[in-house]
Amino acid sequence: MASLLESIDWSKGLVPLIVQDEKSNEVLMLGFTNKEALALSIQSGFVHYYSRSKQRIWKKGEQSGHTQEIKEILLDCDKDTLLIRVKQKGVACHSGNPTCFFQSFGKGKASGVELKGEVKDMGVVYGVVDTLYHTLQERKSADSASSYTATLFKKGENTIGKKIVEEAAELTFALKDGKEEEIIYEAADLLYHALVGLAYKNISPDRIRQELFRRFNVSGIVEKNSRAKD
């Protein structure tokens, strides 16, 4: 394995990883890998990527169960791009499409291609927070006249920050009133606007999960004091 890994041009740190279905030859997705992620892929037999947004190694299907079993790994002539042929379990794209390349661009306009087969409930399969985050990212290019989220992005961080403060206040009042349904509603509003803020700055919610995980074995008092000293 060492000789294979060393034969790759890692000068840029990451190399593109093109993933292709072993039977249909359909291109499923494009990701990136580093030396450690590729080593894990080879050892485990399942594709691992390095996520630039999450800033960590992740196994395809770690949440959804939609894994990619490796059948063949090919290196291009410049030794800086990999093609992996896989047996795809479930769908490749977080949107619920079989492949990430499902939008057709032609004759000056773009049109979505119909989904193949049953549309998955990705709020359950992929995780509602992650699904919402990706949807918010897509709204950056939407028409602000027809999209509330696009309007927030257009107005920028001051407006987004103001909405987060407003929603936090409304949740506080709901907690004081003690009405369960109202608390849930306001908490959802706050989470939504917080995710808009993260999407505006291109910060994946996975990085928030990593930070929370880091704090599990750290006293809240110690954590707060360490930040006060910075």
Side-chain angles (χ1 to χ4, degrees):
M1 183 197 300
S3 60
L4 171 63
L5 294 176
E6 293 306 323
S7 68
I8 298 171
D9 180 2
W10 298 106
S11 59
K12 295 181 180 179
L14 302 175
V15 299
L17 194 62
I18 302 167
V19 181
Q20 183 181 44
D21 187 275
E22 63 158 339
K23 292 183 178 179
S24 68
N25 290 324
E26 187 173 30
V27 176
L28 300 176
M29 59 184 291
L30 170 68
F32 290 87
T33 188
N34 60 10
K35 189 180 293 186
E36 184 181 357
L38 182 58
L40 283 171
S41 296
I42 296 171
Q43 290 172 352
S44 67
F46 290 88
V47 181
H48 289 68
Y49 298 86
Y50 183 85
S51 171
R52 295 172 297 172
S53 60
K54 298 176 182 178
Q55 295 190 3
R56 69 171 176 89
I57 293 172
W58 65 286
K59 177 185 176 183
K60 176 62 178 175
E62 64 183 24
Q63 292 183 330
S64 67
H66 295 176
T67 55
Q68 294 172 336
E69 183 180 352
I70 297 172
K71 295 301 179 180
E72 186 178 18
I73 301 177
L74 301 169
L75 179 62
D76 81 327
C77 57
D78 292 324
K79 301 184 183 300
D80 61 1
T81 302
L82 291 166
L83 172 67
I84 296 189
R85 293 170 57 78
V86 303
K87 179 180 180 181
Q88 176 71 50
K89 180 180 179 181
V91 297
C93 185
H94 73 271
S95 66
N97 284 277
T99 168
C100 292
F101 299 96
F102 61 90
Q103 298 186 79
S104 176
F105 291 83
K107 297 182 179 180
K109 62 181 181 180
S111 60
V113 177
E114 289 187 10
L115 301 180
K116 297 178 181 179
E118 180 185 357
V119 178
K120 304 293 182 179
D121 181 0
M122 297 310 293
V124 175
V125 175
Y126 188 73
V128 66
V129 170
D130 297 277
T131 302
L132 176 56
Y133 176 76
H134 284 287
T135 301
L136 294 175
Q137 288 283 22
E138 293 168 1
R139 292 293 185 272
K140 287 183 176 181
S141 59
D143 182 1
S144 59
S146 59
S147 170
Y148 171 70
T149 303
T151 301
L152 290 177
F153 284 134
K154 184 177 181 179
K155 291 183 177 180
E157 56 194 15
N158 287 340
T159 296
I160 294 171
K162 182 180 178 182
K163 286 300 299 181
I164 292 173
V165 172
E166 289 177 359
E167 298 301 340
E170 290 180 11
L171 175 58
T172 300
F173 292 132
L175 289 168
K176 184 177 179 181
D177 292 340
K179 296 179 180 179
E180 186 174 292
E181 290 299 322
E182 187 177 346
I183 292 171
I184 293 171
Y185 183 87
E186 297 300 344
D189 276 354
L190 176 58
L191 178 57
Y192 164 80
H193 286 89
L195 285 171
V196 170
L198 291 177
Y200 184 78
K201 293 296 185 180
N202 294 312
I203 299 174
S204 169
D206 186 85
R207 294 180 64 185
I208 312 305
R209 284 193 288 265
Q210 291 178 55
E211 174 61 18
L212 291 172
F213 183 78
R214 182 189 67 81
R215 297 183 188 184
F216 269 121
N217 295 319
V218 180
S219 163
I221 296 175
V222 172
E223 171 65 25
K224 184 175 181 180
N225 290 339
S226 68
R227 280 183 285 159
K229 294 177 182 179
D230 292 340

